[in-house]
Amino acid sequence: MSSHREAPEISKDPVADNTDVYAFVSPNRPDTVTFIANYIPLEGPAGGPNFYEFGSDVLYEIHIDNDGDAEEEITYQFRFSTKIRNENTFLYNVGPITSLDSPNWNRPQFYSVTRVIKGGKTTVLAEGLTCPPCNVGVRSTPNYATLAQAAVHTIGDGIKVFAGQRREGFYVDLGSVFDLAALRPFQSLHLIHPPNNAPGVDAIKAVNVHSIAIQVPKSQLAKEGANLSDPTSAASVIGVYASASRKRARVYGGSDEASWDTGPWVQVSRLGNPLFNEVLVPMSKKDLWNATDPKDDAQFAKGVQHPELAALLPVLYPGVFPNLDAFNKSGGTRDDLVAILLTGIPAGVVPGFPGNFTTTRQSDFLRLNMAIPPSNNPNVLGVVAGDIAGFPNGRRVFDDVTTVEIRAVAGVTLPLVNKNFTPDGAASLVTDIQTPDLTGRYINDFPYLGVPLDGYDTPSS
């Protein structure tokens, strides 16, 4: 998955687990950029009686590098608090929740938004903002879309924020991909294969996530003096990642004492590009990666330069990837993947794409050229399909990042930096889901991810 259970330790701490990060020029407010950081993977809609919520003991952050030094210049911090209105009931709600201040909602969450400027000031942008409840069901949360829209807050300076449950926007054939890299549409070619090909299965189409979304004017994100009408300007490009941190220690009280956290904040999860830690970092270093800042990512570059999956594909699909197999055996380095994931893509590498190069310092950031406008005819395969407003130029909520990255690893992007390499015919065809069902996954306005599925109407399987 994109980053839903990507490391042993964070898989035990879902409330602090980054699942996806998105950064894109807002299609209906193109003078702004929307950032979305998702947490809490695989939320079953029927999650009661203790429904999902953000951690009041977690520091959630979205980081932006706007000068190419592989360190954040701007950070947006989100802290949450929870209130119990009725201490004498076990219920999440004691009647229909028809407004954010409904007395029937027994466990509302509130949050603050703080902007931190590197070497400058820290500004609390808003406090006491209300999250929407989880989508319990038709009796408890009627008219949920309207209720959730009320939780979109404008907090000044043209900034909008939202924090709460949303529909899972990422799609992947999870059961097949991690079953020895089986791709159902091509599984008849697999070394260990069922007799027939089959449609891909969207394994997470019926789950929700918790999203933190913020929409910010470009002028507040760019380096001072940036010309945001010039896509060839380095100052138009930003790098983005999200993180979650916990206090260094927790002290557990006895039966009549409260527990508390103490010490400095320690990063326990982070995410820039999708699938990075999931697929490119070895098991022994996954927890280390989550605790490391992007500026120190050179230590993980080997997994990008020589990805294990690229070596496995010719073995698992005998005779299907002979050119990739020969390249691997030659000891060639995947400089295409290094550019896509660790430095940004220089101008002139991809025809028609001005690039989103930020730095030679290898660092996992989701890089966005803010001067490239939203596409009028978006393609879920983004830049590799000629849609330069999509992944890996930032990431939109509907981009098919799984297919893009599988094809890239299979060799589709290698000729961009190695003109002597010819991709295998299968490389541009492989996918886990040929025609994903995206119905209800997205909406046309902020926060763009769709209305979460409710527990009453959503079948458990």
Side-chain angles (χ1 to χ4, degrees), residues 97-307:
I97 305 172
T98 56
S99 66
L100 296 181
D101 60 357
S102 170
N104 290 332
W105 182 15
N106 194 39
R107 194 175 172 86
Q109 279 205 304
F110 306 90
Y111 65 102
S112 64
V113 184
T114 301
R115 180 173 56 211
V116 179
I117 304 297
K118 181 181 179 181
K121 63 180 181 179
T122 296
T123 305
V124 177
L125 300 178
E127 294 181 290
L129 302 176
T130 309
C131 299
C134 288
N135 195 1
V136 178
V138 292
R139 297 165 187 81
S140 295
T141 49
N143 302 313
Y144 187 86
T146 300
L147 183 66
Q149 190 60 36
V152 173
H153 305 281
T154 300
I155 59 175
D157 295 332
I159 299 174
K160 289 184 177 182
V161 293
F162 172 90
Q165 191 179 51
R166 300 310 289 172
R167 180 84 180 268
E168 174 63 84
F170 178 62
Y171 44 98
V172 65
D173 189 343
L174 182 62
S176 183
V177 166
F178 285 103
D179 184 14
L180 291 179
L183 304 171
R184 289 183 220 261
F186 308 92
Q187 65 185 2
S188 64
L189 303 175
H190 198 280
L191 179 68
I192 310 169
H193 60 81
N196 300 310
N197 295 329
V201 176
D202 185 353
I204 57 174
K205 67 179 181 180
V207 299
N208 300 320
V209 292
H210 262 59
S211 297
I212 295 172
I214 183 167
Q215 191 174 78
V216 185
K218 295 177 182 178
S219 59
Q220 297 179 32
L221 301 169
K223 185 178 179 181
E224 186 175 355
N227 180 1
L228 290 172
S229 64
D230 181 8
T232 66
S233 170
S236 298
V237 181
I238 57 173
V240 181
Y241 78 101
S243 67
S245 300
R246 288 189 175 278
K247 291 287 190 176
R248 184 174 295 277
R250 162 158 281 199
V251 180
Y252 289 93
S255 59
D256 58 348
E257 299 178 12
S259 301
W260 71 92
D261 301 302
T262 186
W265 291 107
V266 177
Q267 181 176 290
V268 296
S269 178
R270 63 149 163 148
L271 180 62
N273 282 291
L275 298 167
F276 193 103
N277 196 14
E278 200 91 19
V279 175
L280 301 174
V281 178
M283 183 72 72
S284 61
K285 295 184 178 180
K286 287 181 178 294
D287 295 327
L288 172 64
W289 186 92
N290 265 332
T292 302
D293 290 333
K295 64 183 177 61
D296 298 318
D297 279 345
Q299 63 186 303
F300 306 107
K302 182 179 178 181
V304 181
Q305 296 165 334
H306 304 281

